Amino acid sequence: MTTATMTKTWMVELRYEEDADLTRATASMRLPSGRLLTAEGQARRNPVDRPRASIGEEMAGARALSGLAHRLLEAAADEVESNVHGGDPAI
């Protein structure tokens, strides 16, 4: 017996804004339903540390992605709740 495999790709976008001491990241993704999810994260450089943009980007990006993961989980829970209470299971 052969089972079909379906592959889907969901794109996540990370945008950064930074100055000498603060990096802000915004993570966003659009669900197949069209709903846009976004989350933000930030990282602040300790004044005694040397400036290194990549560290701030990694920290802020990770925090934004973590927030986005929570929003995605909430969106899935909303859909489960809607489905359980008579929503369209095909959505």
Side-chain angles (χ1 to χ4, degrees), residues 13-26:
E13 180 178 81
L14 280 173
R15 291 185 177 262
Y16 293 95
E17 293 180 22
E18 50 195 326
D19 60 31
D21 297 322
L22 181 67
T23 302
R24 288 188 177 93
T26 302

Side-chain angles (χ1 to χ4, degrees), residues 3-63:
T3 58
T5 301
M6 183 185 304
T7 301
K8 293 184 178 184
T9 301
W10 291 8
M11 303 299 290
V12 173
E13 180 178 81
L14 280 173
R15 291 185 177 262
Y16 293 95
E17 293 180 22
E18 50 195 326
D19 60 31
D21 297 322
L22 181 67
T23 302
R24 288 188 177 93
T26 302
S28 60
M29 69 180 296
R30 190 164 302 278
L31 300 180
S33 67
R35 182 176 175 185
L36 179 65
L37 301 179
T38 62
E40 295 183 356
Q42 67 178 15
R44 183 175 302 278
R45 183 179 67 84
N46 186 319
V48 298
D49 291 340
R50 294 178 309 209
R52 189 156 164 215
S54 63
I55 294 173
E57 289 170 0
E58 291 166 358
M59 294 294 293
R63 290 172 176 154

